[in-house]
Amino acid sequence: MLTTLKTVYTDTRAGDLAWALGREPLPALATLDLELSGATIQLRLLGASHQVLLEEERGGSCSETVACIPGSSTPLPLGVSKRVGEWEYEFAACVETLSRGQFAGRAQELLALVTEHPHGLAGVFPGIPHAFTAMLAQRHEGSVMWRTWHAYPQDGQLVATRTRVGVRMPAAL
């Protein structure tokens, strides 16, 4: 699903993004609700950022926010692996700096991928070519996974994140 975000594109940058687990839902500009084999997931676009709310039918829940959060002391990490209730949570992020031509091509490629996917949500900013936030979710072998992309055309930077939330497996004896 592709939407035009009804907000002004502010001059944010990749370095301003912060990561947080467990935040309450923030005001969203666009949402996509999905049912993925016993899991309810809501993809939320918050302007140049995202939030994912996950609930499993067994009662577990998880909230991930990657946003410009005023006063946050947790910058965007390259990787996180931790236990959240009965789940294993894994997060990874990377920042790519691309030339103007590379950036435009990559932006078009990602927007096409997400827009055509039944579990994808992308938001573009009016009047700013290649400024977007995009999200894609799926369920695979007992895990819920999502990927996100945050585009900052003024700097030629693309922030990509990858998250996997899965049931903690008992240790083998």
Side-chain angles (χ1 to χ4, degrees), residues 1 19 28 36 38 44 58 70 74 79 81 87 89 111 145-146 160 165:
M1 181 172 95
W19 166 87
L36 300 175
R44 303 168 58 82
R58 293 177 298 227
T74 307
S81 181
W87 295 342
Y89 171 90
L111 284 172
M145 298 172 281
W146 57 89
V165 179

PDB file of all heavy atoms in Angstrom, residues 1 19 28 36 38 44 58 70 74 79 81 87 89 111 145-146 160 165:
ATOM      1  N   MET A   1       0.849  -1.175   0.000  1.00  0.00           N
ATOM      2  CA  MET A   1       0.000   0.000   0.000  1.00  0.00           C
ATOM      3  C   MET A   1       0.892   1.233   0.000  1.00  0.00           C
ATOM      4  O   MET A   1       1.830   1.323   0.780  1.00  0.00           O
ATOM      5  CB  MET A   1      -0.892  -0.022   1.250  1.00  0.00           C
ATOM      6  CG  MET A   1      -1.830   1.162   1.313  1.00  0.00           C
ATOM      7  SD  MET A   1      -3.041   1.007   2.647  1.00  0.00           S
ATOM      8  CE  MET A   1      -2.226   1.915   3.931  1.00  0.00           C
ATOM      9  N   TRP A  19      16.132   4.350  18.640  1.00  0.00           N
ATOM     10  CA  TRP A  19      15.437   3.070  18.706  1.00  0.00           C
ATOM     11  C   TRP A  19      14.885   2.884  20.109  1.00  0.00           C
ATOM     12  O   TRP A  19      15.531   3.253  21.099  1.00  0.00           O
ATOM     13  CB  TRP A  19      16.431   1.967  18.375  1.00  0.00           C
ATOM     14  CG  TRP A  19      15.991   0.585  18.699  1.00  0.00           C
ATOM     15  CD1 TRP A  19      15.262  -0.240  17.908  1.00  0.00           C
ATOM     16  CD2 TRP A  19      16.268  -0.145  19.894  1.00  0.00           C
ATOM     17  NE1 TRP A  19      15.072  -1.445  18.538  1.00  0.00           N
ATOM     18  CE2 TRP A  19      15.680  -1.406  19.761  1.00  0.00           C
ATOM     19  CE3 TRP A  19      16.964   0.155  21.064  1.00  0.00           C
ATOM     20  CZ2 TRP A  19      15.755  -2.378  20.749  1.00  0.00           C
ATOM     21  CZ3 TRP A  19      17.037  -0.803  22.061  1.00  0.00           C
ATOM     22  CH2 TRP A  19      16.432  -2.055  21.886  1.00  0.00           C
ATOM     23  N   ALA A  28       0.022   8.188  14.443  1.00  0.00           N
ATOM     24  CA  ALA A  28       0.473   7.680  13.148  1.00  0.00           C
ATOM     25  C   ALA A  28      -0.163   8.456  12.003  1.00  0.00           C
ATOM     26  O   ALA A  28      -1.317   8.886  12.094  1.00  0.00           O
ATOM     27  CB  ALA A  28       0.130   6.198  13.025  1.00  0.00           C
ATOM     28  N   LEU A  36      -1.124 -12.462  10.713  1.00  0.00           N
ATOM     29  CA  LEU A  36      -0.113 -13.358  10.164  1.00  0.00           C
ATOM     30  C   LEU A  36      -0.043 -14.635  11.002  1.00  0.00           C
ATOM     31  O   LEU A  36       0.711 -14.712  11.962  1.00  0.00           O
ATOM     32  CB  LEU A  36       1.261 -12.673  10.139  1.00  0.00           C
ATOM     33  CG  LEU A  36       1.381 -11.395   9.312  1.00  0.00           C
ATOM     34  CD1 LEU A  36       2.757 -10.780   9.491  1.00  0.00           C
ATOM     35  CD2 LEU A  36       1.126 -11.682   7.853  1.00  0.00           C
ATOM     36  N   GLY A  38      -1.777 -16.263  13.493  1.00  0.00           N
ATOM     37  CA  GLY A  38      -1.816 -16.196  14.950  1.00  0.00           C
ATOM     38  C   GLY A  38      -1.170 -14.958  15.539  1.00  0.00           C
ATOM     39  O   GLY A  38      -1.139 -14.795  16.748  1.00  0.00           O
ATOM     40  N   ARG A  44       3.049   1.092  11.428  1.00  0.00           N
ATOM     41  CA  ARG A  44       2.650   2.486  11.643  1.00  0.00           C
ATOM     42  C   ARG A  44       3.723   3.421  11.090  1.00  0.00           C
ATOM     43  O   ARG A  44       4.879   3.323  11.491  1.00  0.00           O
ATOM     44  CB  ARG A  44       2.464   2.754  13.135  1.00  0.00           C
ATOM     45  CG  ARG A  44       1.445   1.823  13.780  1.00  0.00           C
ATOM     46  CD  ARG A  44       1.462   1.886  15.304  1.00  0.00           C
ATOM     47  NE  ARG A  44       1.210   3.210  15.816  1.00  0.00           N
ATOM     48  CZ  ARG A  44       0.005   3.751  15.971  1.00  0.00           C
ATOM     49  NH1 ARG A  44      -1.066   3.075  15.641  1.00  0.00           N
ATOM     50  NH2 ARG A  44      -0.127   4.969  16.450  1.00  0.00           N
ATOM     51  N   ARG A  58      -1.197 -15.999  21.900  1.00  0.00           N
ATOM     52  CA  ARG A  58      -0.897 -16.550  23.227  1.00  0.00           C
ATOM     53  C   ARG A  58      -0.725 -15.448  24.273  1.00  0.00           C
ATOM     54  O   ARG A  58      -0.435 -15.728  25.423  1.00  0.00           O
ATOM     55  CB  ARG A  58       0.366 -17.394  23.164  1.00  0.00           C
ATOM     56  CG  ARG A  58       0.179 -18.650  22.345  1.00  0.00           C
ATOM     57  CD  ARG A  58       1.463 -19.397  22.267  1.00  0.00           C
ATOM     58  NE  ARG A  58       2.461 -18.576  21.608  1.00  0.00           N
ATOM     59  CZ  ARG A  58       3.260 -18.994  20.643  1.00  0.00           C
ATOM     60  NH1 ARG A  58       3.197 -20.230  20.236  1.00  0.00           N
ATOM     61  NH2 ARG A  58       4.131 -18.178  20.094  1.00  0.00           N
ATOM     62  N   PRO A  70      12.602  13.125  20.738  1.00  0.00           N
ATOM     63  CA  PRO A  70      13.243  14.162  21.545  1.00  0.00           C
ATOM     64  C   PRO A  70      13.645  13.629  22.918  1.00  0.00           C
ATOM     65  O   PRO A  70      12.876  12.929  23.575  1.00  0.00           O
ATOM     66  CB  PRO A  70      12.168  15.243  21.671  1.00  0.00           C
ATOM     67  CG  PRO A  70      11.232  14.997  20.528  1.00  0.00           C
ATOM     68  CD  PRO A  70      11.265  13.519  20.291  1.00  0.00           C
ATOM     69  N   THR A  74      18.957   6.663  23.444  1.00  0.00           N
ATOM     70  CA  THR A  74      19.283   5.415  22.767  1.00  0.00           C
ATOM     71  C   THR A  74      19.351   5.660  21.266  1.00  0.00           C
ATOM     72  O   THR A  74      18.330   5.643  20.588  1.00  0.00           O
ATOM     73  CB  THR A  74      18.225   4.335  23.067  1.00  0.00           C
ATOM     74  OG1 THR A  74      18.075   4.222  24.480  1.00  0.00           O
ATOM     75  CG2 THR A  74      18.643   2.990  22.505  1.00  0.00           C
ATOM     76  N   GLY A  79      22.888  -3.329  16.027  1.00  0.00           N
ATOM     77  CA  GLY A  79      22.252  -4.608  16.302  1.00  0.00           C
ATOM     78  C   GLY A  79      21.841  -4.742  17.742  1.00  0.00           C
ATOM     79  O   GLY A  79      22.491  -4.193  18.636  1.00  0.00           O
ATOM     80  N   SER A  81      20.018  -7.929  20.329  1.00  0.00           N
ATOM     81  CA  SER A  81      19.447  -9.258  20.507  1.00  0.00           C
ATOM     82  C   SER A  81      19.088  -9.379  21.976  1.00  0.00           C
ATOM     83  O   SER A  81      19.963  -9.265  22.832  1.00  0.00           O
ATOM     84  CB  SER A  81      20.457 -10.328  20.099  1.00  0.00           C
ATOM     85  OG  SER A  81      19.885 -11.604  20.242  1.00  0.00           O
ATOM     86  N   TRP A  87       9.765 -14.207  24.065  1.00  0.00           N
ATOM     87  CA  TRP A  87      10.277 -14.091  22.706  1.00  0.00           C
ATOM     88  C   TRP A  87      11.745 -13.728  22.666  1.00  0.00           C
ATOM     89  O   TRP A  87      12.273 -13.087  23.567  1.00  0.00           O
ATOM     90  CB  TRP A  87       9.523 -13.014  21.937  1.00  0.00           C
ATOM     91  CG  TRP A  87       8.082 -13.305  21.698  1.00  0.00           C
ATOM     92  CD1 TRP A  87       7.452 -14.508  21.778  1.00  0.00           C
ATOM     93  CD2 TRP A  87       7.091 -12.368  21.335  1.00  0.00           C
ATOM     94  NE1 TRP A  87       6.125 -14.377  21.473  1.00  0.00           N
ATOM     95  CE2 TRP A  87       5.872 -13.066  21.200  1.00  0.00           C
ATOM     96  CE3 TRP A  87       7.092 -11.006  21.104  1.00  0.00           C
ATOM     97  CZ2 TRP A  87       4.678 -12.452  20.831  1.00  0.00           C
ATOM     98  CZ3 TRP A  87       5.910 -10.393  20.737  1.00  0.00           C
ATOM     99  CH2 TRP A  87       4.723 -11.110  20.611  1.00  0.00           C
ATOM    100  N   TYR A  89      14.081 -11.370  20.486  1.00  0.00           N
ATOM    101  CA  TYR A  89      13.956 -10.183  19.639  1.00  0.00           C
ATOM    102  C   TYR A  89      15.329  -9.879  19.040  1.00  0.00           C
ATOM    103  O   TYR A  89      16.323  -9.807  19.776  1.00  0.00           O
ATOM    104  CB  TYR A  89      13.468  -9.001  20.485  1.00  0.00           C
ATOM    105  CG  TYR A  89      13.507  -7.669  19.785  1.00  0.00           C
ATOM    106  CD1 TYR A  89      12.407  -7.208  19.062  1.00  0.00           C
ATOM    107  CD2 TYR A  89      14.637  -6.862  19.839  1.00  0.00           C
ATOM    108  CE1 TYR A  89      12.447  -5.979  18.417  1.00  0.00           C
ATOM    109  CE2 TYR A  89      14.679  -5.642  19.198  1.00  0.00           C
ATOM    110  CZ  TYR A  89      13.580  -5.205  18.488  1.00  0.00           C
ATOM    111  OH  TYR A  89      13.625  -3.988  17.855  1.00  0.00           O
ATOM    112  N   LEU A 111      10.280   1.308  -3.306  1.00  0.00           N
ATOM    113  CA  LEU A 111       8.868   1.695  -3.299  1.00  0.00           C
ATOM    114  C   LEU A 111       8.030   0.719  -4.127  1.00  0.00           C
ATOM    115  O   LEU A 111       6.925   0.360  -3.734  1.00  0.00           O
ATOM    116  CB  LEU A 111       8.692   3.129  -3.791  1.00  0.00           C
ATOM    117  CG  LEU A 111       9.080   4.193  -2.777  1.00  0.00           C
ATOM    118  CD1 LEU A 111       9.053   5.575  -3.414  1.00  0.00           C
ATOM    119  CD2 LEU A 111       8.179   4.149  -1.545  1.00  0.00           C
ATOM    120  N   MET A 145       8.667 -11.217  11.103  1.00  0.00           N
ATOM    121  CA  MET A 145       9.801 -10.399  10.677  1.00  0.00           C
ATOM    122  C   MET A 145       9.290  -9.171   9.952  1.00  0.00           C
ATOM    123  O   MET A 145       8.232  -9.228   9.312  1.00  0.00           O
ATOM    124  CB  MET A 145      10.707 -11.202   9.753  1.00  0.00           C
ATOM    125  CG  MET A 145      11.309 -12.422  10.442  1.00  0.00           C
ATOM    126  SD  MET A 145      12.185 -13.501   9.316  1.00  0.00           S
ATOM    127  CE  MET A 145      10.833 -14.371   8.564  1.00  0.00           C
ATOM    128  N   TRP A 146      10.039  -8.094  10.080  1.00  0.00           N
ATOM    129  CA  TRP A 146       9.727  -6.914   9.289  1.00  0.00           C
ATOM    130  C   TRP A 146      11.012  -6.192   8.910  1.00  0.00           C
ATOM    131  O   TRP A 146      12.019  -6.307   9.578  1.00  0.00           O
ATOM    132  CB  TRP A 146       8.748  -5.971   9.981  1.00  0.00           C
ATOM    133  CG  TRP A 146       9.133  -5.464  11.323  1.00  0.00           C
ATOM    134  CD1 TRP A 146       9.867  -4.337  11.607  1.00  0.00           C
ATOM    135  CD2 TRP A 146       8.780  -6.031  12.599  1.00  0.00           C
ATOM    136  NE1 TRP A 146       9.986  -4.175  12.974  1.00  0.00           N
ATOM    137  CE2 TRP A 146       9.329  -5.209  13.597  1.00  0.00           C
ATOM    138  CE3 TRP A 146       8.047  -7.164  12.983  1.00  0.00           C
ATOM    139  CZ2 TRP A 146       9.174  -5.474  14.954  1.00  0.00           C
ATOM    140  CZ3 TRP A 146       7.905  -7.423  14.331  1.00  0.00           C
ATOM    141  CH2 TRP A 146       8.456  -6.582  15.300  1.00  0.00           C
ATOM    142  N   ALA A 160      18.186   1.231   6.580  1.00  0.00           N
ATOM    143  CA  ALA A 160      17.444  -0.026   6.467  1.00  0.00           C
ATOM    144  C   ALA A 160      17.493  -0.729   7.819  1.00  0.00           C
ATOM    145  O   ALA A 160      18.542  -0.782   8.459  1.00  0.00           O
ATOM    146  CB  ALA A 160      18.066  -0.911   5.394  1.00  0.00           C
ATOM    147  N   VAL A 165      11.169 -11.411  15.477  1.00  0.00           N
ATOM    148  CA  VAL A 165      10.649 -11.747  16.800  1.00  0.00           C
ATOM    149  C   VAL A 165      10.152 -13.182  16.726  1.00  0.00           C
ATOM    150  O   VAL A 165       9.292 -13.495  15.907  1.00  0.00           O
ATOM    151  CB  VAL A 165       9.517 -10.791  17.233  1.00  0.00           C
ATOM    152  CG1 VAL A 165       8.988 -11.195  18.596  1.00  0.00           C
ATOM    153  CG2 VAL A 165       9.988  -9.352  17.234  1.00  0.00           C
TER     154      VAL A 165
END
